Amino acid sequence: MAGIFGDEISSRGDFQRELEVALQQHENAPKEHRNDAVIVRVGRQLRAIAGWTKDGGEPTKAERKSITMGVELHREYEYTDDDFLYNFHQCVSGVSNYVRHWPTDEDAADADNFDRLWDKYIDEMH
C-alpha cells in the first residue's frame, strides 16, 4: 500500500512498471475512446514522462509541474461505468501523483505519506 500513489507503486521500479501499464492501456484503448481529447492529452503526457525517465532520468521541476493528466481524468471521468476509463484513470492517477511528487523509495512505500508529501510538494512547487 503506497498512499497517494495507489496500491501498485511503492518504489521507482514499481512506478516504471505502472507507467508501462498506463502506456499499454492507452495504446490499446477501445476505439470509442481513441479520439477523446482528454485521452489524447493523457497519452502525450505519458509518452513525455517515459522520455524523461528513460534510463533512470528524472523529470525537472518544470516538467513535473506540467503534468495534469490525473486531474484531467478525475474531472472528466470520476464517475464512470466504463471499465476502460475506470481502470485507466486508476493507473494514470498513481503515475501522475508519483511524477508530481517524485518521492524517494522510502516515501513512496509509506502508506501514510499524504500529509508529509503534500507539504513538501507545496513548498517545492511554489
Side-chain angles (χ1 to χ4, degrees):
M1 171 87 76
I4 62 173
F5 311 120
D7 292 341
E8 304 301 323
I9 302 176
S10 296
S11 68
R12 187 76 38 96
D14 291 345
F15 157 74
Q16 287 296 151
R17 280 189 296 283
E18 200 66 3
L19 173 59
E20 288 302 318
V21 168
L23 285 162
Q24 199 64 261
Q25 286 177 343
H26 184 267
E27 172 104 4
N28 297 319
K31 187 176 182 179
E32 65 268 20
H33 297 301
R34 290 191 184 145
N35 294 319
D36 177 294
V38 172
I39 303 302
V40 169
R41 282 193 303 273
V42 169
R44 271 187 248 143
Q45 290 181 48
L46 288 169
R47 287 187 298 279
I49 293 166
W52 301 333
T53 61
K54 185 179 178 186
D55 298 325
E58 295 188 8
T60 66
K61 182 177 169 181
E63 289 167 339
R64 290 173 35 218
K65 277 179 91 169
S66 73
I67 297 303
T68 60
M69 62 188 182
V71 171
E72 288 187 67
L73 282 171
H74 183 75
R75 226 181 263 145
E76 292 294 321
Y77 303 114
E78 178 182 9
Y79 303 107
T80 183
D81 293 333
D82 184 293
D83 288 340
F84 165 76
L85 291 173
Y86 177 81
N87 291 324
F88 189 57
H89 176 227
Q90 295 301 305
C91 182
V92 168
S93 290
V95 170
S96 180
N97 283 338
Y98 190 94
V99 171
R100 298 275 304 186
H101 292 273
W102 204 251
T104 64
D105 280 356
E106 181 181 351
D107 284 338
D110 181 358
D112 297 318
N113 57 20
F114 180 81
D115 289 334
R116 183 180 63 262
L117 290 177
W118 182 252
D119 291 342
K120 179 182 172 192
Y121 170 76
I122 293 298
D123 289 343
E124 284 183 0
M125 291 297 153
H126 290 95

